[in-house]
Amino acid sequence: MKLNPFVQAGIGLTFALLWSCPTLAALTEDKNFGLEVKVTGQSENDSDLGTAGGGDVNGVGLDLRPWVYGESGAWSAYAMGQAVTSTDIIETDTLQQSDNSGTQTTDSGDRKTRKNYLAMREFWVGYKGLTPYPGEILKFGRQRLRNDDGQWRDTNIEALNWTFDTTLLRANVGIAERFSEYRTDLKELSPKDKDRLHAYADAAYQWTPGNWVGIRGHHTHDNGKLDYPEPGVAGDTLDKKQNGDISWLGLTADSDAYNWRNTNTVNYWGSITGMNGDRDTVNPLNADGTRPAEAKRGEDLNGWATDLGVRLRLDPQWQVGAAYARASAEYQQNGLESNRSNYTGTRSRVHRFGEAFRGEMNNMQTATLFGSWMLNDEYDASLIYHKFWRVDGNKPVGNNGINAVENNTDDATGAILSSTSLPLEDGNKDLGQEMDLVVTKYFKQGLLPAALSQSIDEPSALVRFRGGVFKPGDAYGKEVDSYMHRAFIDVIWRF
C-alpha cells in the first residue's frame, strides 16, 4: 500500500520527535506506550430515506490504534497511529461523522473512503515551561482540539495550541490548518478544508464555586484557489467552489454541566454566538453550457445561534433534563465541530442533534428531552428525544446524516439517469423527530498519563451501544420512507 507524501512526512516527523527524547527508553519501561483495540459493528438503514438504491450499511470493523508518549523535563511528545479493516465502509471513529465529504467519490478516486486504511491520528510535541501552573501546555503538531460542548472544536488537526487550565481560569489560544488527512485512502482534502486557516481563543472564569462564565472567538481565513467550470469539461466533486473570511464571537455560562463527575442537584448551560463574514461562490455554467457573465458572486454573512439546557438530578443515579438550540438561516459552524458532548450527565458523549439525524447549527431549531442513569463506575445509559424544525421554511439546512436524493429516470426503461440532493419542500419547517439510546458497560479504569486526557478520554475497557431512529417530517415530502436508523456497538480495550 503506497503512502502519500503527507503521510510519509507525518510518520517520519513523529518518530524523529519521539526518539529525540533522551529519556524515552526509561519512560517506555513505565508503560508510556500502548495499544487501543476497538471493534465496531454498524447497522444503518435508509440514510437516503428510501430515495436511492442501497443506503444501507451492515458490517464489522477492527480499529487498532498504537500510541507512545514520552516526557523529559518540561518537554513531552506523543503519537498515535491507526490501522482499520472492515467488512463494509463503517465508522469506527466518532470524529469521522463531522466530515460527510469523506464519502465523496472523485474521478481520480483520491477521496474515497475505503474498508481498509492506515492513518496517523496524532503526532505532537508539548512544552509546559511557559508558566509555573501544572495545567498549562503548549502543543505543536497534529493533535486533538476539543471544547466541552463539541460545537466549536472536536477534531484531530495540525495546530499550535496553548492551554491554560487552573481551578479558577481556563483558556485556550491557537491556530490550526488541515494540510492532509494522513490516511492512505483520503489522499485529498475536502474542498472546505483546502487553504483554510483557523485562529481561535477562549477563556472561562469560575466566578462562584461550580459556576463558570466565558467568552470565545474563532476566525477562519480561506483564500484557497477557486475552481471555475469550463464548457465541455466535467466537474469534480472536490472542486473548490467557495472561499472567504468568517468570524464567530460567543458568550457562555454553565454549572460545569459537561463534567459528568459533578454532583450538583441542578446543572445548566447556555451559549449565544454571533457570526459575521463574507463569502465568494463560483457561479455555475449557463443552462446552454456557456460561461456565466460573472465568474463568481460575493455575499455578506450574518447569523446567530444559541444552545440552552438544564439537567435535574433526582438521586445519585438518575437525572432528567431538557435542552433547546436554534441557529438562524445564515449561521454556520466553523467546520471543526463534532457536536458530541456529555450533556446528558453521563461519561458517554452523545451527539447533541441526534445519533441518526446528526444535524448541525444552520437554519435549524431543536427541542430535546432526555433521561440518564449511572451506576457507580460500571454502567451508564441515556434515553433522548429530539424534535427538529427549520427556522426559515424556504431555505436549506446544513449537512447532516440524511442523504436523501431526487432521481431523474428514463421514462422508457426506468433507469436512473442522474441523482441530486433532495430539496426540502418550500414552506414546510418540520424536519422530523428522533429517539436515541446510548448504553455503556465499563470494565475497569485505566491509568494513563494526565497529558493524554484530550487524546484518550475513555476508561480502558467498555462495551457501548449507540443508536437512533429518525422519522422524517413534512419538509422531506411524502415520497420518503417512514423511518431510518443508525446503530453501533463498540467494544474497546486498551493494553
Side-chain angles (χ1 to χ4, degrees):
M1 184 178 296
K2 184 178 180 181
L3 302 180
N4 66 48
F6 290 109
V7 176
Q8 292 174 342
I11 294 173
L13 175 62
T14 298
F15 284 104
L17 292 173
L18 289 172
W19 289 106
S20 65
C21 176
T23 58
L24 182 60
L27 288 167
T28 53
E29 293 176 1
D30 293 334
K31 304 298 184 183
N32 281 352
F33 63 94
L35 175 67
E36 174 183 317
V37 178
K38 184 175 185 180
V39 178
T40 299
Q42 178 177 347
S43 173
E44 181 177 314
N45 180 257
D46 282 342
S47 63
D48 53 30
L49 301 182
T51 58
D56 299 340
V57 176
N58 291 284
V60 178
L62 174 64
D63 188 337
L64 303 177
R65 303 179 187 179
W67 62 271
V68 59
Y69 173 76
E71 277 187 25
S72 178
W75 292 90
S76 59
Y78 175 75
M80 174 181 274
Q82 187 175 23
V84 175
T85 182
S86 58
T87 62
D88 200 345
I89 297 177
I90 68 172
E91 298 174 15
T92 64
D93 187 351
T94 54
L95 299 185
Q96 186 175 327
Q97 56 80 33
S98 65
D99 180 15
N100 292 327
S101 62
T103 61
Q104 285 182 325
T105 304
T106 68
D107 296 336
S108 63
D110 284 342
R111 190 174 177 84
K112 180 177 176 60
T113 304
R114 302 188 186 279
K115 298 178 183 178
N116 309 305
Y117 64 87
L118 300 175
M120 285 299 300
R121 291 178 62 82
E122 295 188 59
F123 47 89
W124 52 259
V125 172
Y127 179 68
K128 295 183 177 180
L130 296 180
T131 74
Y133 294 94
E136 176 265 332
I137 187 171
L138 177 71
K139 291 181 182 179
F140 174 71
R142 182 173 169 85
Q143 58 191 280
R144 174 82 172 273
L145 300 180
R146 191 182 73 196
N147 68 306
D148 286 342
D149 62 17
Q151 294 176 12
W152 284 56
R153 299 186 303 276
D154 190 12
T155 189
N156 295 323
I157 189 171
E158 301 89 315
L160 176 64
N161 180 78
W162 181 72
T163 296
F164 185 81
D165 189 352
T166 65
T167 303
L168 296 178
L169 181 65
R170 300 171 183 167
N172 292 276
V173 180
I175 56 174
E177 182 173 348
R178 203 177 301 280
F179 295 100
S180 172
E181 300 285 3
Y182 300 95
R183 285 176 47 160
T184 53
D185 54 347
L186 305 183
K187 301 174 184 178
E188 291 288 338
L189 287 174
S190 167
K192 68 178 183 180
D193 285 328
K194 292 179 180 178
D195 300 305
R196 191 179 195 190
L197 176 68
H198 300 262
Y200 57 87
D202 60 72
Y205 175 68
Q206 187 175 199
W207 62 278
T208 190
N211 293 274
W212 296 78
V213 293
I215 184 171
R216 53 191 180 182
H218 194 110
H219 178 77
T220 60
H221 174 62
D222 186 346
N223 63 347
K225 180 181 178 182
L226 297 175
D227 296 309
Y228 298 98
E230 298 183 17
V233 178
D236 190 280
T237 54
L238 293 185
D239 287 345
K240 191 172 182 67
K241 300 298 185 183
Q242 292 182 335
N243 63 15
D245 292 87
I246 306 176
S247 299
W248 293 260
L249 182 64
L251 300 175
T252 64
D254 67 81
S255 61
D256 208 18
Y258 298 104
N259 178 7
W260 61 271
R261 293 181 176 88
N262 87 51
T263 57
N264 300 339
T265 301
V266 178
N267 276 292
Y268 66 89
W269 71 86
S271 67
I272 185 166
T273 304
M275 183 202 77
N276 181 270
D278 59 81
R279 179 171 61 197
D280 289 332
T281 302
V282 171
N283 286 322
L285 296 175
N286 297 323
D288 60 0
T290 60
R291 286 189 175 91
E294 298 290 336
K296 64 181 181 181
R297 63 187 184 276
E299 59 182 325
D300 295 327
L301 300 176
N302 291 280
W304 67 276
T306 187
D307 184 19
L308 308 169
V310 62
R311 191 173 69 242
L312 175 65
R313 186 179 300 278
L314 303 178
D315 62 30
Q317 296 180 6
W318 293 92
Q319 300 181 71
V320 294
Y324 175 77
R326 180 185 177 98
S328 64
E330 286 193 343
Y331 185 86
Q332 58 184 259
Q333 294 180 267
N334 61 48
L336 301 185
E337 73 284 345
S338 72
N339 291 321
R340 289 189 173 275
S341 67
N342 304 91
Y343 73 92
T344 65
T346 71
R347 193 184 317 185
S348 300
R349 299 172 68 240
V350 182
H351 200 293
R352 178 65 183 83
F353 306 115
E355 292 289 335
F357 183 65
R358 297 180 177 178
E360 64 179 31
M361 299 187 82
N362 172 222
N363 193 30
M364 189 181 74
Q365 57 180 331
T366 308
T368 302
L369 298 173
F370 61 88
S372 63
W373 170 77
M374 286 194 300
L375 180 60
N376 302 321
D377 290 329
E378 298 181 18
Y379 298 93
D380 66 39
S382 299
L383 182 65
I384 307 139
Y385 170 79
H386 301 280
K387 178 67 177 176
F388 307 104
W389 300 269
R390 281 193 288 179
V391 172
D392 187 328
N394 295 308
K395 292 185 178 180
V397 295
N399 292 329
N400 53 50
I402 306 301
N403 300 306
V405 300
E406 185 174 52
N407 295 318
N408 177 27
T409 59
D410 186 281
D411 294 336
T413 65
I416 297 177
L417 301 177
S418 63
S419 297
T420 57
S421 296
L422 182 70
L424 299 174
E425 292 197 349
D426 285 343
N428 283 324
K429 294 185 176 182
D430 181 13
L431 291 171
Q433 52 191 321
E434 176 170 333
M435 287 293 297
D436 289 344
L437 177 64
V438 180
V439 182
T440 308
K441 160 64 177 173
Y442 303 94
F443 291 101
K444 65 176 182 179
Q445 291 284 354
L447 298 177
L448 297 170
L452 303 188
S453 60
Q454 285 287 91
S455 301
I456 301 177
D457 54 1
E458 298 282 11
S460 60
L462 62 85
V463 176
R464 174 174 294 148
F465 172 83
R466 300 179 283 122
V469 178
F470 174 74
K471 185 179 188 299
D474 293 340
Y476 284 99
K478 299 179 180 179
E479 304 302 321
V480 300
D481 280 2
S482 298
Y483 295 92
M484 67 83 62
H485 80 266
R486 183 179 283 113
F488 300 83
I489 294 179
D490 297 317
V491 180
I492 298 176
W493 193 276
R494 292 189 174 90
F495 296 94

